[in-house]
Every structure is written in C-alpha cells, then in structure tokens.
Amino acid sequence: MKILKPFFKISFYAVIVFCVISYVSLMASMLSSKLNNTFPNFSMGFPFTYYHQFLLHDNDFHHGFKRGMVADFLIIWIITFILLAIKKKPQTTNQQQ
C-alpha cells in the first residue's frame, strides 16, 4: 500500500497538468487560427499534437486523433515524478559550528 499512494499522487498531479497543458495548447491554436483567418482549424497537444481539426471545403470538416496522446502523458508523468522527487528530497543542513 505504501507504493500505491505515491503512484496515485503522481498520477493525479500528472492528469491535472496534462489537462491544463492540453487546454492551453487548444486555446493558443484556436487563437492563432482565428488571427490567421483559418478558423476553425486547430490542433491540440504539447509537445506532440494528438488531435487535429480542419475545414477542407465550406462544410467538409475533417478531424481525428493522432498517436501523440500517450507519449504526451508519459512525458508529463515523468516530469511530474522528477519534480515531486526533487521536492520531497530531504534537505540536509550543516549543523556544525
């Protein structure tokens, strides 16, 4: 049970970070496509794009998921693990006087 608690804690934080990064990448992509007059073309995902939507003709939407979602989540999970490990690392102080 001791091993599961840190795993779930890291996974919880990783899911939150993944959702926030996905939302920010979506908003940035939508803003960029709006400014470039290519709206409603957008993509989602950072560092790998895992969803893309584009308008081919007047009413011909194309959309779909790519394979980057799992890689994005694993990268975020590893970074979250490293950051939490650094944060939890005991601070040694020099008590010699």
Side-chain angles (χ1 to χ4, degrees):
M1 193 68 180
K2 260 187 163 180
I3 269 188
L4 288 178
K5 186 176 178 181
F7 175 77
F8 285 125
K9 181 179 179 181
I10 294 167
S11 297
F12 175 74
Y13 285 126
V15 166
I16 291 173
V17 170
F18 178 77
C19 291
V20 168
I21 289 174
S22 294
Y23 178 76
V24 169
S25 73
L26 174 65
M27 290 297 116
S29 178
M30 289 179 79
L31 179 64
S32 172
S33 68
K34 188 70 169 176
L35 293 175
N36 294 332
N37 293 326
T38 59
F39 192 76
N41 300 347
F42 63 86
S43 58
M44 184 170 25
F46 179 81
F48 303 112
T49 301
Y50 61 84
Y51 181 82
H52 188 73
Q53 173 181 310
F54 59 96
L55 185 64
L56 195 56
H57 298 290
D58 288 336
N59 291 326
D60 192 15
F61 275 109
H62 291 272
H63 57 87
F65 284 92
K66 297 181 178 181
R67 296 183 182 190
M69 182 182 252
V70 174
D72 277 353
F73 185 75
L74 286 176
I75 290 169
I76 291 171
W77 195 93
I78 291 168
I79 291 171
T80 305
F81 172 76
I82 291 169
L83 291 176
L84 288 176
I86 290 171
K87 180 183 172 191
K88 190 175 181 176
K89 183 177 150 185
Q91 307 247 338
T92 59
T93 57
N94 193 357
Q95 297 289 336
Q96 294 177 348
Q97 291 183 355

PDB file of all heavy atoms in Angstrom, residues 45-58:
ATOM      1  N   GLY A  45      -2.395  19.542 -28.133  1.00  0.00           N
ATOM      2  CA  GLY A  45      -1.334  18.690 -27.635  1.00  0.00           C
ATOM      3  C   GLY A  45       0.013  19.382 -27.642  1.00  0.00           C
ATOM      4  O   GLY A  45       0.330  20.138 -28.547  1.00  0.00           O
ATOM      5  N   PHE A  46       0.772  19.134 -26.592  1.00  0.00           N
ATOM      6  CA  PHE A  46       2.131  19.658 -26.496  1.00  0.00           C
ATOM      7  C   PHE A  46       2.964  18.657 -25.720  1.00  0.00           C
ATOM      8  O   PHE A  46       2.523  18.203 -24.676  1.00  0.00           O
ATOM      9  CB  PHE A  46       2.153  21.019 -25.785  1.00  0.00           C
ATOM     10  CG  PHE A  46       3.525  21.581 -25.641  1.00  0.00           C
ATOM     11  CD1 PHE A  46       4.117  22.230 -26.697  1.00  0.00           C
ATOM     12  CD2 PHE A  46       4.229  21.428 -24.461  1.00  0.00           C
ATOM     13  CE1 PHE A  46       5.398  22.739 -26.580  1.00  0.00           C
ATOM     14  CE2 PHE A  46       5.510  21.932 -24.330  1.00  0.00           C
ATOM     15  CZ  PHE A  46       6.083  22.596 -25.392  1.00  0.00           C
ATOM     16  N   PRO A  47       4.094  18.239 -26.130  1.00  0.00           N
ATOM     17  CA  PRO A  47       4.884  18.626 -27.289  1.00  0.00           C
ATOM     18  C   PRO A  47       4.451  17.939 -28.578  1.00  0.00           C
ATOM     19  O   PRO A  47       4.825  18.369 -29.658  1.00  0.00           O
ATOM     20  CB  PRO A  47       6.298  18.219 -26.907  1.00  0.00           C
ATOM     21  CG  PRO A  47       6.142  17.067 -25.993  1.00  0.00           C
ATOM     22  CD  PRO A  47       4.857  17.328 -25.253  1.00  0.00           C
ATOM     23  N   PHE A  48       3.687  16.858 -28.497  1.00  0.00           N
ATOM     24  CA  PHE A  48       3.199  16.180 -29.696  1.00  0.00           C
ATOM     25  C   PHE A  48       1.727  16.509 -29.900  1.00  0.00           C
ATOM     26  O   PHE A  48       0.943  16.481 -28.951  1.00  0.00           O
ATOM     27  CB  PHE A  48       3.364  14.663 -29.584  1.00  0.00           C
ATOM     28  CG  PHE A  48       4.767  14.231 -29.332  1.00  0.00           C
ATOM     29  CD1 PHE A  48       5.124  13.668 -28.121  1.00  0.00           C
ATOM     30  CD2 PHE A  48       5.736  14.386 -30.299  1.00  0.00           C
ATOM     31  CE1 PHE A  48       6.426  13.267 -27.877  1.00  0.00           C
ATOM     32  CE2 PHE A  48       7.038  13.987 -30.078  1.00  0.00           C
ATOM     33  CZ  PHE A  48       7.383  13.422 -28.860  1.00  0.00           C
ATOM     34  N   THR A  49       1.348  16.790 -31.127  1.00  0.00           N
ATOM     35  CA  THR A  49      -0.055  17.054 -31.434  1.00  0.00           C
ATOM     36  C   THR A  49      -0.805  15.735 -31.473  1.00  0.00           C
ATOM     37  O   THR A  49      -0.405  14.808 -32.180  1.00  0.00           O
ATOM     38  CB  THR A  49      -0.182  17.767 -32.793  1.00  0.00           C
ATOM     39  OG1 THR A  49       0.546  18.982 -32.730  1.00  0.00           O
ATOM     40  CG2 THR A  49      -1.627  18.051 -33.126  1.00  0.00           C
ATOM     41  N   TYR A  50      -1.878  15.637 -30.689  1.00  0.00           N
ATOM     42  CA  TYR A  50      -2.643  14.393 -30.690  1.00  0.00           C
ATOM     43  C   TYR A  50      -4.065  14.560 -31.198  1.00  0.00           C
ATOM     44  O   TYR A  50      -4.800  13.583 -31.321  1.00  0.00           O
ATOM     45  CB  TYR A  50      -2.637  13.732 -29.306  1.00  0.00           C
ATOM     46  CG  TYR A  50      -3.251  14.552 -28.203  1.00  0.00           C
ATOM     47  CD1 TYR A  50      -4.604  14.547 -27.991  1.00  0.00           C
ATOM     48  CD2 TYR A  50      -2.455  15.298 -27.362  1.00  0.00           C
ATOM     49  CE1 TYR A  50      -5.163  15.291 -26.972  1.00  0.00           C
ATOM     50  CE2 TYR A  50      -2.994  16.036 -26.346  1.00  0.00           C
ATOM     51  CZ  TYR A  50      -4.350  16.025 -26.155  1.00  0.00           C
ATOM     52  OH  TYR A  50      -4.894  16.763 -25.145  1.00  0.00           O
ATOM     53  N   TYR A  51      -4.496  15.764 -31.516  1.00  0.00           N
ATOM     54  CA  TYR A  51      -5.813  15.975 -32.119  1.00  0.00           C
ATOM     55  C   TYR A  51      -5.707  17.121 -33.111  1.00  0.00           C
ATOM     56  O   TYR A  51      -5.061  18.128 -32.845  1.00  0.00           O
ATOM     57  CB  TYR A  51      -6.867  16.305 -31.064  1.00  0.00           C
ATOM     58  CG  TYR A  51      -8.249  16.494 -31.647  1.00  0.00           C
ATOM     59  CD1 TYR A  51      -9.049  15.402 -31.935  1.00  0.00           C
ATOM     60  CD2 TYR A  51      -8.735  17.760 -31.939  1.00  0.00           C
ATOM     61  CE1 TYR A  51     -10.309  15.565 -32.487  1.00  0.00           C
ATOM     62  CE2 TYR A  51      -9.994  17.933 -32.488  1.00  0.00           C
ATOM     63  CZ  TYR A  51     -10.773  16.830 -32.764  1.00  0.00           C
ATOM     64  OH  TYR A  51     -12.012  16.994 -33.319  1.00  0.00           O
ATOM     65  N   HIS A  52      -6.349  16.955 -34.250  1.00  0.00           N
ATOM     66  CA  HIS A  52      -6.306  17.988 -35.280  1.00  0.00           C
ATOM     67  C   HIS A  52      -7.673  18.071 -35.946  1.00  0.00           C
ATOM     68  O   HIS A  52      -8.294  17.053 -36.230  1.00  0.00           O
ATOM     69  CB  HIS A  52      -5.238  17.647 -36.321  1.00  0.00           C
ATOM     70  CG  HIS A  52      -5.007  18.736 -37.305  1.00  0.00           C
ATOM     71  ND1 HIS A  52      -4.347  19.905 -36.974  1.00  0.00           N
ATOM     72  CD2 HIS A  52      -5.360  18.867 -38.600  1.00  0.00           C
ATOM     73  CE1 HIS A  52      -4.298  20.692 -38.023  1.00  0.00           C
ATOM     74  NE2 HIS A  52      -4.905  20.075 -39.028  1.00  0.00           N
ATOM     75  N   GLN A  53      -8.135  19.293 -36.157  1.00  0.00           N
ATOM     76  CA  GLN A  53      -9.394  19.516 -36.857  1.00  0.00           C
ATOM     77  C   GLN A  53      -9.158  20.583 -37.914  1.00  0.00           C
ATOM     78  O   GLN A  53      -8.489  21.580 -37.659  1.00  0.00           O
ATOM     79  CB  GLN A  53     -10.463  20.005 -35.892  1.00  0.00           C
ATOM     80  CG  GLN A  53     -11.748  20.429 -36.583  1.00  0.00           C
ATOM     81  CD  GLN A  53     -12.782  20.928 -35.608  1.00  0.00           C
ATOM     82  OE1 GLN A  53     -13.049  20.252 -34.629  1.00  0.00           O
ATOM     83  NE2 GLN A  53     -13.337  22.076 -35.867  1.00  0.00           N
ATOM     84  N   PHE A  54      -9.692  20.359 -39.092  1.00  0.00           N
ATOM     85  CA  PHE A  54      -9.554  21.362 -40.140  1.00  0.00           C
ATOM     86  C   PHE A  54     -10.762  21.305 -41.063  1.00  0.00           C
ATOM     87  O   PHE A  54     -11.457  20.296 -41.165  1.00  0.00           O
ATOM     88  CB  PHE A  54      -8.257  21.191 -40.930  1.00  0.00           C
ATOM     89  CG  PHE A  54      -8.111  19.858 -41.606  1.00  0.00           C
ATOM     90  CD1 PHE A  54      -8.463  19.687 -42.922  1.00  0.00           C
ATOM     91  CD2 PHE A  54      -7.595  18.772 -40.899  1.00  0.00           C
ATOM     92  CE1 PHE A  54      -8.323  18.461 -43.544  1.00  0.00           C
ATOM     93  CE2 PHE A  54      -7.440  17.547 -41.508  1.00  0.00           C
ATOM     94  CZ  PHE A  54      -7.805  17.386 -42.841  1.00  0.00           C
ATOM     95  N   LEU A  55     -11.008  22.413 -41.707  1.00  0.00           N
ATOM     96  CA  LEU A  55     -12.108  22.559 -42.642  1.00  0.00           C
ATOM     97  C   LEU A  55     -11.529  22.516 -44.046  1.00  0.00           C
ATOM     98  O   LEU A  55     -10.738  23.373 -44.425  1.00  0.00           O
ATOM     99  CB  LEU A  55     -12.830  23.888 -42.390  1.00  0.00           C
ATOM    100  CG  LEU A  55     -14.075  24.169 -43.201  1.00  0.00           C
ATOM    101  CD1 LEU A  55     -15.167  23.148 -42.847  1.00  0.00           C
ATOM    102  CD2 LEU A  55     -14.570  25.572 -42.930  1.00  0.00           C
ATOM    103  N   LEU A  56     -11.919  21.492 -44.815  1.00  0.00           N
ATOM    104  CA  LEU A  56     -11.365  21.330 -46.147  1.00  0.00           C
ATOM    105  C   LEU A  56     -12.080  22.212 -47.158  1.00  0.00           C
ATOM    106  O   LEU A  56     -11.468  22.942 -47.904  1.00  0.00           O
ATOM    107  CB  LEU A  56     -11.434  19.861 -46.558  1.00  0.00           C
ATOM    108  CG  LEU A  56     -10.603  19.437 -47.740  1.00  0.00           C
ATOM    109  CD1 LEU A  56      -9.147  19.792 -47.525  1.00  0.00           C
ATOM    110  CD2 LEU A  56     -10.750  17.959 -47.984  1.00  0.00           C
ATOM    111  N   HIS A  57     -13.383  22.138 -47.173  1.00  0.00           N
ATOM    112  CA  HIS A  57     -14.200  22.997 -48.033  1.00  0.00           C
ATOM    113  C   HIS A  57     -15.195  23.717 -47.137  1.00  0.00           C
ATOM    114  O   HIS A  57     -15.013  23.744 -45.920  1.00  0.00           O
ATOM    115  CB  HIS A  57     -14.911  22.170 -49.100  1.00  0.00           C
ATOM    116  CG  HIS A  57     -13.966  21.473 -50.034  1.00  0.00           C
ATOM    117  ND1 HIS A  57     -13.213  22.146 -50.964  1.00  0.00           N
ATOM    118  CD2 HIS A  57     -13.655  20.168 -50.173  1.00  0.00           C
ATOM    119  CE1 HIS A  57     -12.476  21.278 -51.642  1.00  0.00           C
ATOM    120  NE2 HIS A  57     -12.717  20.067 -51.168  1.00  0.00           N
ATOM    121  N   ASP A  58     -16.232  24.261 -47.687  1.00  0.00           N
ATOM    122  CA  ASP A  58     -17.171  25.050 -46.890  1.00  0.00           C
ATOM    123  C   ASP A  58     -17.748  24.284 -45.703  1.00  0.00           C
ATOM    124  O   ASP A  58     -17.769  24.783 -44.598  1.00  0.00           O
ATOM    125  CB  ASP A  58     -18.308  25.580 -47.768  1.00  0.00           C
ATOM    126  CG  ASP A  58     -17.823  26.679 -48.697  1.00  0.00           C
ATOM    127  OD1 ASP A  58     -16.809  27.326 -48.362  1.00  0.00           O
ATOM    128  OD2 ASP A  58     -18.459  26.883 -49.747  1.00  0.00           O
TER     129      ASP A  58
END
